[in-house]
Amino acid sequence: MMADAVTLTCTWGRAPLPVTGTPQVAYLLVEATPATQPSVPVPLNFCFVLDRSGSMQGAKLESMKAATSRVIETLTPADVVSIVIFDDTVQTLVPATPATDPAALLAAVNTITESGGTAMSLGLQAGQAELQKYLGPDRLSYLVLLTDGQTWGDEDLCRTLANDLGQAGVRITALGLGVEWNEKLLDDLADATGGVSDYIAEPAQIATFFQRALRSAQGTAATDARLLLRLVKEVVPRAVHRATPTIANLGYQPIGESEVAVKLGDLVHGQVNSVVLDLMVPVRSAGTFRIAQAELHATLPGASGPEVVKQDLLLSFTTEAAAPVYDPRVMNLVEKVTAFKLQTRALAEAELGNLSGATQKLRAAATRLLDLGELDLAAKTTAQADQLEQGSGLSAEGQKELRYATRRLTQKLDEADV
């Protein structure tokens, strides 16, 4: 049963709540954690779709080749690998094949040279064709896309291909290198498949992100995890954010009148998938009350259908005048989510031309980040606010740095991978 395979933990940001004459805000952290690492990981169907356009020359290309080689060396003979390279044309460098001859695969990677422009849809189409050869319930399918540039005129086709891949159960890790790529497009490609998108500032970091994608794939404990929170009458959900593995605003779509339904995605060993909920709870007398029931659905490898684990959520109210007891871990996540929200709104306002509003929100985000000890990111956020105030506008690098670094506030890059 899943109760043994996955743990569901629910923690209030403050408990007990004081008895008051009006409804009050309560923060709830819900975490899904896989139990133990399986002795044999589920075999992978792993496809690289790599940009080798002219702008990738030099350190970018060499770092990409080295990072790809490290992944190949870490695959098992049970895994399948394929490599597609694209510029304004496409080449299937390694058709889908079991990773039983690493030397041959490494030799193929070594032949990659830079050339031409950027036509991402060609790469995605070729990657899709290779992944389809080994699609099936007996292996997990992943596509790792790396690009350093804009693709021209085929963005909608790229999104259609990502939707098709998502329907087939493929996860896309979409990685942008440097500052010239379209973050909205890469975010959309990842979101369509339940995957991840991210920003790589320096070529030397490519290996870190490739290794993280591989470890995440190899450590998959359950797929398509979903959280359903059934709320008692008068409990009003106001907002829901994913907190880990990265911060994301899940919007209003998951929120119903009496329930919240959230897609948690795949559960990975050594990683917690969690959401922070902002709830308005009704007036209660002193005592302990049921506020909601949490229900986690997830499919374990090899299982025919989803398993379910349930938990009742109780919250205590008190008339005692003792100072409120806050859970520091929950409130730290709430603060990080707040910093993320402020910078997200700041970037949106800057795009609309409301520079004073954007500046104000960036300064508020910088204050939160300082309080959280995120000194480097706070300094960069302040610098962007200064630029806006001086009428310079946000730099492409600054925008990407803020957008992706604040998503990663709840995780740290493993520098050992660099």
Side-chain angles (χ1 to χ4, degrees):
M1 284 300 291
M2 193 168 74
D4 302 322
V6 180
T7 305
L8 181 64
T9 310
C10 301
T11 312
W12 294 103
R14 179 170 63 137
L17 289 184
V19 171
T20 61
T22 56
Q24 54 190 313
V25 172
Y27 291 107
L28 175 67
L29 173 67
V30 182
E31 300 168 288
T33 313
T36 54
Q37 177 88 28
S39 51
V40 181
V42 179
L44 303 180
N45 180 19
F46 205 86
C47 178
F48 289 100
V49 175
L50 305 175
D51 184 344
R52 59 87 166 262
S53 58
S55 58
M56 285 290 291
Q57 67 181 338
K60 290 181 182 178
L61 194 77
E62 292 311 309
S63 295
M64 180 182 81
K65 288 160 70 171
T68 306
S69 297
R70 275 192 68 182
V71 170
I72 287 167
E73 290 165 349
T74 319
L75 292 171
T76 74
D79 297 325
V80 167
V81 63
S82 51
I83 303 173
V84 169
I85 53 179
F86 69 94
D87 44 67
D88 43 20
T89 64
V90 67
Q91 178 189 349
T92 300
L93 184 71
V94 175
T97 183
T100 50
D101 188 353
L105 295 169
L106 294 173
V109 171
N110 207 35
T111 67
I112 301 174
T113 55
E114 79 281 348
S115 169
T118 306
M120 191 187 294
S121 61
L122 296 178
L124 290 174
Q125 278 175 322
Q128 180 184 39
E130 296 309 312
L131 285 164
Q132 279 175 335
K133 295 175 183 177
Y134 285 88
L135 276 181
D138 56 332
R139 53 180 76 240
L140 297 168
S141 294
Y142 291 85
L143 186 154
V144 173
L145 168 71
L146 177 73
T147 184
D148 76 333
Q150 301 267 0
T151 187
W152 299 107
D154 61 347
E155 288 96 338
D156 287 344
L157 178 54
C158 290
R159 290 183 173 94
T160 299
L161 290 164
N163 283 324
D164 292 344
L165 286 161
Q167 293 289 324
V170 177
R171 305 285 184 264
I172 292 178
T173 298
L175 301 171
L177 174 61
V179 299
E180 298 300 325
W181 49 279
N182 180 344
E183 60 256 41
K184 178 76 172 78
L185 176 60
L186 293 204
D187 288 353
D188 287 349
L189 300 185
D191 289 346
T193 66
V196 295
S197 52
D198 220 324
Y199 159 54
I200 306 178
E202 301 294 336
Q205 294 177 312
I206 298 172
T208 299
F209 286 88
F210 276 21
Q211 286 295 310
R212 177 182 289 176
L214 178 64
R215 277 205 307 267
S216 179
Q218 289 176 329
T220 301
T223 56
D224 299 316
R226 292 178 295 113
L227 172 70
L228 179 63
L229 206 65
R230 292 195 177 88
L231 305 169
V232 302
K233 195 177 177 187
E234 295 178 307
V235 175
V236 180
R238 302 198 312 169
V240 54
H241 282 79
R242 187 175 67 218
T244 58
T246 55
I247 302 174
N249 179 4
L250 300 176
Y252 292 105
Q253 192 180 349
I255 298 177
E257 274 186 31
S258 59
E259 65 180 33
V260 177
V262 178
K263 290 180 180 176
L264 293 178
D266 297 342
L267 304 183
V268 175
H269 289 286
Q271 177 180 293
V272 179
N273 285 38
S274 65
V275 293
V276 170
L277 295 112
D278 175 344
L279 304 173
M280 188 68 78
V281 296
V283 175
R284 289 285 186 265
S285 55
T288 300
F289 299 88
R290 184 170 173 271
I291 297 296
Q293 183 186 61
E295 203 173 275
L296 179 69
H297 297 243
T299 303
L300 304 178
S304 55
E307 300 276 354
V308 182
V309 59
K310 298 180 181 180
Q311 187 178 122
D312 278 340
L313 302 188
L314 306 177
L315 181 57
S316 297
F317 292 76
T318 182
T319 53
E320 292 176 18
V325 180
Y326 290 94
D327 184 294
R329 199 167 59 89
V330 177
M331 298 317 294
N332 178 268
L333 287 174
V334 168
E335 285 298 301
K336 287 176 175 176
V337 165
T338 302
F340 167 84
K341 281 196 291 192
L342 284 166
Q343 79 69 29
T344 303
R345 287 175 187 160
L347 292 180
E349 294 204 4
E351 214 169 281
L352 293 170
N354 180 5
L355 300 190
S356 65
T359 304
Q360 190 182 15
K361 288 180 176 62
L362 284 176
R363 294 207 186 286
T367 302
R368 299 268 179 170
L369 292 166
L370 270 177
D371 291 344
L372 288 163
E374 298 284 344
L375 307 186
D376 184 47
L377 189 53
K380 287 176 178 173
T381 305
T382 300
Q384 291 297 314
D386 291 344
Q387 259 183 253
L388 274 185
E389 209 157 53
Q390 290 154 16
S392 313
L394 294 171
S395 67
E397 185 178 1
Q399 285 193 53
K400 286 181 169 63
E401 181 76 43
L402 296 188
R403 185 188 301 273
Y404 291 95
T406 47
R407 285 186 194 179
R408 289 193 220 121
L409 278 171
T410 53
Q411 63 173 239
K412 291 294 176 196
L413 284 177
D414 185 350
E415 295 303 330
D417 284 337
V418 173

